[in-house]
Amino acid sequence: MKKILIAAAASVIVSATPALANTANTTIYAQVAPVCTISAPGTTAINLSGTTAVGDVTAQCNNAAGFTGSVSSLHNGHLADQNGVSATQYPYTLTLGGFGAVPLNGTTSINSAQLGGNAALINATTFAMSVNVAAPNGPAYAGTYQDTISFTLTAN
């Protein structure tokens, strides 16, 4: 009986001793830098009639929530006398590859849904740009006629 009590006491002592345990965690991560940029050709001389390839517009945006953008023209799609002497203007049509003709009589909005979804511009995408100039809306006075086309791209 004494052996049974000693064995029982030993098992209580062993079970009363807390087990030693330790936990360690490691968190790993990687980052993708946010990018939302657009670039367009600089100043380009074009023909005053017919179509001229102007260059490429390149856009990239990797925001999971998508993006919005816009295209606008300082003179609403017209080449105007840079000195403001003549009221004559040359209307033109802007064409962007993937979009076709882009209206310039105000601001034209572009969003990720129009390009197929939020992932449409994860990699840099290039759109060929050209302009087609029509006949002037007045006498063809000597001078330099110009317009400024602005492109914006913003992450949502």
Side-chain angles (χ1 to χ4, degrees), residues 78-146:
H78 293 82
L79 297 170
D81 181 2
Q82 79 174 24
N83 295 319
V85 176
S86 167
T88 299
Q89 295 185 338
Y90 289 81
Y92 68 90
T93 303
L94 171 69
T95 302
L96 282 176
F99 290 99
V102 177
L104 292 174
N105 55 348
T107 299
T108 300
S109 295
I110 299 168
N111 62 50
S112 49
Q114 291 169 308
L115 290 176
N118 296 350
L121 297 180
I122 283 181
N123 298 310
T125 303
T126 300
F127 304 94
M129 179 172 60
S130 64
V131 294
N132 186 349
V133 180
N137 62 4
Y141 293 116
T144 301
Y145 295 82
Q146 69 180 23

Side-chain angles (χ1 to χ4, degrees), residues 19-37:
L20 296 176
N22 192 0
T23 302
N25 297 320
T26 299
T27 301
I28 61 172
Y29 72 96
Q31 286 185 294
V32 175
V35 176
C36 205
T37 62

